Amino acid sequence: GQSPTEFVINSRIDQAKAMLASSDLTLTQIARQVGYPNSSNFIVQFTDRVGCSPQQFRAEHQGKE
């Protein structure tokens, strides 16, 4: 029930969430590994879909997965 573009974005965000929770990689490194050429676009997309910034997500979830 979602467009191919939405599927790709949601897949990237899911990968990023796992990486934020389980690694110490920088936001720039995570953004690049999940397919965003710059961290600014990644942060906007992440915040829109998750409801908090990647930094907030990491602070709340790191070490819990």
Side-chain angles (χ1 to χ4, degrees):
Q2 59 185 346
S3 72
T5 301
E6 285 296 313
F7 176 79
V8 170
I9 292 170
N10 289 331
S11 295
R12 288 176 175 178
I13 297 300
D14 287 344
Q15 288 177 324
K17 286 165 64 174
M19 294 172 83
L20 286 163
S22 65
S23 76
D24 290 323
L25 295 172
T26 67
L27 290 181
T28 301
Q29 290 170 320
I30 291 172
R32 287 187 182 143
Q33 287 192 24
V34 300
Y36 289 92
N38 64 63
S39 58
S40 299
N41 192 357
F42 165 68
I43 292 168
V44 169
Q45 292 286 326
F46 188 97
T47 303
D48 284 349
R49 284 170 168 70
V50 179
C52 65
S53 72
Q55 297 93 329
Q56 290 169 313
F57 184 89
R58 174 175 267 168
E60 294 173 11
H61 295 91
Q62 194 162 38
K64 295 183 181 176
E65 288 191 10

